[in-house]
Amino acid sequence: MFGGQDSKQHTVQPYVTGTSVIGLKCADGVVLGADTLVSYGSLAKNRKTSRLMTVSNHCSLGFSGEYSDFQEIKSTLEELMISEYCMADNIPMQPRAIHQYLARVMYEARNKQDPLYNQLVIGGVLPATGEGYLGLVDLLGTNYESEMIATGYGTYIALPLLRKAYRPDITVAEGRKVIEDCLRVLYYRDARSIDTVQISTVTKEGAETTEPFKLETSWDFKKFKAGSRLIDESTW
Amino acid sequence: MFRNQYDTDITTWSPQGRLHQVEYAMEAVKQGSAVVGVRSDTHVVLATLKRSTSELASTQKKLFSIDDHLGIAIAGLTADARVLGRHMRTECMNYKYIYETAMPVGRLALNVADKCQVSTQRASKRPFGVGLLIAGYDELGPHLYQSCPSGNYYEFYSMAIGARSQSAKTYLERHFEEFASLELQDLILQAIRALRETVSSSKDAELTSKNCAIAYVGKGDTFTIVEDEEIQPYLDTLENSDGKQEEEEEETEDAAEQTEDKPTDAPMED
Amino acid sequence: MMDFGTPVLEPGSANGTKQVPQFNPYQDNGGTVASIAGDDYVIVAADTRFTLGYSIPTRKISRVLKINDKVMLGTAGMQADTCALHKVISTRMRMYEHDNNKRMTFNAVSQMLSTVLYYKRFFPYYTFNIVAGLDDKGEGWVCGYDAIGSFEQRKIVCNGAGTKLMQPVFDNQVDWAQSWDGAGKPNLSLEQATDLMKDAFTSAAEREITVGDTLQIYKITKDGIQLEEFELKKD
């Protein structure tokens, strides 16, 4: 099956990968965050690659997992948005529709035993009401909506923080700070992360992704300095 | 025998720049019994006149539900309409399967118009002999579209197609500006009034629960067909309100006769 | 963390030394669905916890699909397959309604689900289903399925992760299985069935880590479908 002369090669494991993406739904929109590193195993292959993309005026997308598969997804999405534009009927594609479309793409790929090795986080607003939308799709086609989403190590490190910070009336401005904090914590503990990050905000006014910027970090915490030893109560 | 030598196949132009076969298909729409569509800010209503081939037969279906948010009324060949209807249902299901959102009405109207166009440009095909009024409600609100055998499609505030639809159109042209703010129940009555214009001039005389069916769709309402005994209350309401109108008119006429030259401000039409 | 799949030995490789990771298209996302049917009602219950290994990526997903006012489908197992299955069932249900100009009956739905599942016999949906509904006479019934479509119509079924903990309780409390001749078997009311369902899920949530968060109980009666939500433990 693998490498035979007349057999087709499928991705069975990711090579060039991005780590966590996180997202938080807010009262007036959505915030997504990701760092800008793509790794090749333990090698920091590229330190300034955008892992967030703006899909439309009402929708942004972030990925973790295989970079090449994401580029494939990106171009199919761009194709979709161009054909939408060509309909010229002023019907904005809803974030939910984009989310479900991607879920079909990912699920069909897994059905062919040829998965797109990614987790995708879709953030958007409903054009009519300005209400936020946040969803996830993974390489198996798993898809759900949630108030807070994190992939990769973010599931363990950022998700509890997001759950704690979440309020139904949290604003995008507040959410942005929460996301930045989560990215900082991830940078402290995820060895495949970097302190250069991007944040994407989607509100009624539009979708905006920042240029990559450096996180302010502090390494003066007592336990960071002391390090962890057997006698320590905990590594934290 | 033939109207001219340029109408025997679909893809041949006449020197006047016309496609006769397509125009004949457009004529088929005018042979079908009338259908009327009206739109308010929240709803679309379709009203249809059903015909039967004989006293012994049931009436032909004029209304088809396509999806929860969308349906059609047809004028022309019912058999052709069924083909288009099935196509539209499939398109709606496919759209929902992929996007988990309802297909925008305008997209479906364009899709079905494209399908009609194909059969005006292929020697091996025949145009669909049916016109559609497409009524639907999507994220941009209520919509009413008409599609033609030629592949043309238009969006309307109000529209009527089919036999004697001109009189309904005249009614609609006079009243459509009032429709925007109407409640659903009043909008339905307006649709039936417009439809009635197409029968009043003919010998089959009046709308009954047997020959009239309506459908509505809009904010908070999925596409719903109302026919048979369910439509009777609407016809009754209409008759009552018109009865009153006539009585009033008669009274004022009497009064006018008595005081002869005095002008009257009684409404002359409803 | 990314699941790379379990490395397996490639069947053709000489003396099994060459290790090749293989993509595993399946995943267990937990979840339990259960249904109790009575003389004039049926209730469908499902928890909303979505698990991935030991993680809970989200606490609120729906496992239940409303077919119409009288029939519902509940699905546990893999979430992506659940979605796909629910899409196929909704689409075929819509086609049935267009073609036959009537709603699908409980029997029609239960047979259709079996057909849809068996159609993928050699690449199955990793899903464990129940179909619950009222029959033509208004009596409640429920069908339980395995992943490839074999099914049985009963009065009480549960399926999914919590089955092992809950089924014996239902056998005892609803089916009266401990009695040979069924003497003294209770006829549960809608309220009693709902309470039993809450107790069963609360108990299952104590020992089965993939059960928890919120319990959704759909009550189907001749008057339509009502949803009651009941909080389970969140840890």
Side-chain angles (χ1 to χ4, degrees):
Chain A
M1 175 163 183
F2 302 100
Q5 282 211 310
D6 49 7
S7 70
K8 194 182 160 213
Q9 298 250 345
H10 289 167
T11 313
V12 291
Q13 58 170 295
Y15 285 97
V16 182
T17 60
T19 183
S20 331
V21 190
I22 53 178
L24 185 66
K25 185 167 134 181
C26 304
D28 52 343
V30 142
V31 191
L32 301 184
D35 68 17
T36 59
L37 178 69
V38 290
S39 316
Y40 178 68
S42 60
L43 174 76
K45 188 169 165 51
N46 197 333
R47 299 151 58 84
K48 224 176 182 179
T49 300
S50 178
R51 295 202 291 122
L52 298 176
M53 75 175 273
T54 308
V55 183
S56 72
N57 266 336
H58 307 105
C59 189
S60 280
L61 174 77
F63 86 95
S64 57
E66 173 64 41
Y67 187 42
S68 66
D69 284 347
F70 171 72
Q71 287 181 318
E72 181 71 18
I73 291 166
K74 190 176 174 185
S75 60
T76 36
L77 256 189
E78 279 164 356
E79 233 168 77
L80 177 75
M81 295 325 287
I82 288 170
S83 63
E84 281 288 310
Y85 175 80
C86 292
M87 299 301 288
D89 55 9
N90 274 327
I91 301 175
M93 194 160 212
Q94 294 182 22
R96 181 177 161 76
I98 294 169
H99 181 198
Q100 286 298 319
Y101 172 78
L102 287 172
R104 285 316 97 205
V105 171
M106 303 290 270
Y107 186 73
E108 290 311 314
R110 91 104 212 193
N111 278 350
K112 289 180 202 137
Q113 291 281 328
D114 185 15
L116 294 153
Y117 246 100
N118 297 105
Q119 278 130 325
L120 306 172
V121 182
I122 294 98
V125 290
L126 306 184
T129 60
E131 195 194 335
Y133 181 97
L134 184 62
L136 174 137
V137 197
D138 75 4
L139 67 165
L140 295 175
T142 309
N143 63 93
Y144 56 82
E145 282 171 50
S146 185
E147 288 79 26
M148 61 296 282
I149 281 176
T151 68
Y153 266 111
T155 319
Y156 306 111
I157 295 173
L159 200 53
L161 301 172
L162 291 169
R163 282 178 178 158
K164 205 167 181 179
Y166 179 75
R167 285 175 287 118
D169 61 343
I170 193 169
T171 62
V172 164
E174 292 172 286
R176 223 194 101 108
K177 288 203 190 84
V178 175
I179 290 288
E180 207 177 305
D181 281 341
C182 289
L183 288 172
R184 190 169 9 250
V185 176
L186 278 167
Y187 171 60
Y188 287 147
R189 284 294 172 182
D190 178 0
R192 301 284 169 268
S193 68
I194 201 171
D195 57 351
T196 314
V197 299
Q198 279 182 297
I199 288 179
S200 187
T201 51
V202 191
T203 60
K204 227 171 170 178
E205 279 68 52
E208 215 177 317
T209 305
T210 64
E211 286 301 308
F213 64 92
K214 279 259 188 202
L215 283 172
E216 268 180 44
T217 51
S218 160
W219 299 92
D220 300 333
F221 298 113
K222 207 171 114 198
K223 289 198 170 158
F224 275 178
K225 280 167 128 178
S228 60
R229 268 161 282 168
L230 277 176
I231 49 164
D232 286 351
E233 277 175 41
S234 101
T235 57
W236 294 89
Chain B
M1 195 80 78
F2 298 111
R3 229 200 276 178
N4 59 54
Q5 55 188 314
Y6 299 106
D7 70 352
T8 52
D9 82 70
I10 183 76
T11 54
T12 303
W13 288 101
S14 83
Q16 289 80 37
R18 295 161 60 176
L19 290 167
H20 287 285
Q21 283 289 330
V22 175
E23 289 178 21
Y24 298 165
M26 299 287 281
E27 288 301 311
V29 178
K30 294 183 190 160
Q31 311 271 334
S33 64
V35 298
V36 171
V38 294
R39 196 188 82 181
S40 73
D41 288 341
T42 57
H43 284 81
V44 198
V45 174
L46 300 171
T48 66
L49 180 66
K50 295 187 287 187
R51 280 201 292 228
S52 70
T53 46
S54 88
E55 290 282 302
L56 300 170
S58 65
T59 52
Q60 283 276 28
K61 245 172 103 74
K62 299 283 281 179
L63 290 164
F64 295 86
S65 116
I66 300 297
D67 203 342
D68 282 343
H69 71 299
L70 195 143
I72 54 171
I74 62 135
L77 303 183
T78 311
D80 285 14
R82 284 204 308 274
V83 174
L84 287 183
R86 189 172 309 139
H87 172 77
M88 291 166 86
R89 285 170 174 176
T90 313
E91 288 299 307
C92 280
M93 281 191 290
N94 285 345
Y95 194 95
K96 199 173 260 176
Y97 189 90
I98 298 171
Y99 300 108
E100 277 295 318
T101 44
M103 189 166 190
V105 186
R107 297 273 172 95
L108 185 64
L110 170 63
N111 180 299
V112 83
D114 283 350
K115 189 177 169 64
C116 289
Q117 193 279 336
V118 171
S119 41
T120 67
Q121 215 181 0
R122 294 240 204 289
S124 59
K125 292 201 166 172
R126 142 176 104 66
F128 288 93
V130 67
L132 310 177
L133 287 185
I134 304 166
Y137 184 80
D138 60 27
E139 60 204 277
L140 295 187
H143 296 282
L144 174 66
Y145 284 90
Q146 179 206 353
S147 91
C148 301
S150 59
N152 279 326
Y153 77 111
Y154 314 91
E155 182 165 18
F156 284 100
Y157 290 106
S158 294
M159 185 56 186
I161 56 172
R164 291 188 290 277
S165 58
Q166 188 49 55
S167 28
K169 271 189 271 188
T170 310
Y171 178 89
L172 295 172
E173 278 161 16
R174 239 181 286 161
H175 293 280
F176 80 95
E177 279 158 325
E178 307 153 19
F179 296 166
S181 57
L182 288 186
E183 296 287 318
L184 173 60
Q185 297 306 319
D186 296 326
L187 192 66
I188 291 176
L189 292 180
Q190 286 291 1
I192 301 176
R193 280 205 182 97
L195 182 70
R196 198 173 50 181
E197 297 290 314
T198 70
V199 283
S200 59
S201 56
S202 71
K203 59 184 184 309
D204 45 45
E206 56 170 352
L207 293 178
T208 65
S209 61
K210 288 264 180 310
N211 69 7
C212 177
I214 62 130
Y216 61 85
V217 63
K219 195 174 186 177
D221 289 306
T222 56
F223 187 81
T224 311
I225 297 175
V226 183
E227 55 190 345
D228 300 328
E229 58 270 25
E230 285 176 348
I231 200 167
Q232 194 58 49
Y234 292 105
L235 298 174
D236 292 343
T237 320
L238 214 56
E239 204 171 322
N240 288 338
S241 71
D242 292 349
K244 269 184 213 151
Q245 210 97 61
E246 269 165 37
E247 270 170 37
E248 273 171 34
E249 272 168 41
E250 269 172 35
E251 274 171 31
T252 46
E253 266 169 41
D254 290 347
E257 266 170 39
Q258 280 167 6
T259 53
E260 281 185 292
D261 293 331
K262 275 195 180 166
T264 145
D265 55 353
M268 294 307 286
E269 58 204 3
D270 61 51
Chain C
M1 246 180 65
M2 193 72 67
D3 179 14
F4 293 165
T6 324
V8 295
L9 299 181
E10 193 182 45
S13 64
N15 60 30
T17 47
K18 194 176 154 198
Q19 289 222 334
V20 182
Q22 204 180 49
F23 171 63
N24 175 199
Y26 289 115
Q27 185 174 67
D28 186 0
N29 299 122
T32 307
V33 288
S35 175
I36 302 174
D39 289 342
D40 57 353
Y41 70 86
V42 56
I43 60 173
V44 184
D47 65 332
T48 63
R49 175 172 289 187
F50 170 83
T51 59
L52 213 172
Y54 293 128
S55 296
I56 305 172
T58 180
R59 298 184 188 279
K60 197 94 191 203
I61 59 153
S62 171
R63 295 195 153 83
V64 178
L65 176 71
K66 184 180 151 188
I67 307 282
N68 57 45
D69 289 343
K70 290 199 159 64
V71 190
M72 296 190 90
L73 164 66
T75 311
M78 176 171 158
Q79 197 267 352
D81 275 347
T82 301
C83 274
L85 177 67
H86 284 192
K87 269 176 192 289
V88 171
I89 294 291
S90 318
T91 307
R92 294 192 53 149
M93 174 207 79
R94 184 56 55 90
M95 277 157 70
Y96 181 102
E97 285 179 358
H98 282 320
D99 291 347
N100 302 291
N101 229 315
K102 63 172 188 179
R103 298 281 180 79
M104 286 188 90
T105 60
F106 168 71
N107 278 315
V109 176
S110 58
Q111 184 56 52
M112 181 178 75
L113 178 61
S114 174
T115 312
V116 168
L117 289 172
Y118 194 78
Y119 183 77
K120 273 173 72 72
R121 170 63 181 83
F122 298 106
F123 184 28
Y125 291 116
Y126 188 51
T127 57
F128 303 94
N129 296 279
I130 55 172
V131 169
L134 303 177
D135 68 8
D136 301 337
K137 298 189 202 77
E139 189 179 350
W141 286 103
V142 52
C143 287
Y145 296 76
D146 71 2
I148 50 174
S150 83
F151 71 110
E152 187 183 28
Q153 195 176 108
R154 296 183 55 190
K155 280 289 181 183
I156 164 75
V157 177
C158 69
N159 227 339
T163 310
K164 277 185 285 185
L165 294 171
M166 287 161 57
Q167 189 69 55
V169 180
F170 289 135
D171 288 344
N172 170 237
Q173 295 290 310
V174 185
D175 267 352
W176 220 240
Q178 69 279 20
S179 157
W180 174 255
D181 58 1
K185 180 177 172 179
N187 203 359
L188 295 183
S189 69
L190 176 58
E191 289 70 33
Q192 286 172 317
T194 309
D195 286 344
L196 176 61
M197 193 61 93
K198 289 175 186 170
D199 287 344
F201 268 90
T202 308
S203 308
E206 285 294 332
R207 290 282 181 167
E208 170 61 57
I209 57 164
T210 66
V211 176
D213 294 327
T214 305
L215 179 63
Q216 294 183 320
I217 306 174
Y218 292 90
K219 302 167 188 172
I220 311 176
T221 60
K222 63 177 189 328
D223 303 321
I225 298 175
Q226 253 199 316
L227 168 64
E228 180 184 341
E229 295 209 331
F230 177 74
E231 295 306 312
L232 298 171
K233 54 192 274 174
K234 308 253 180 291
D235 57 2

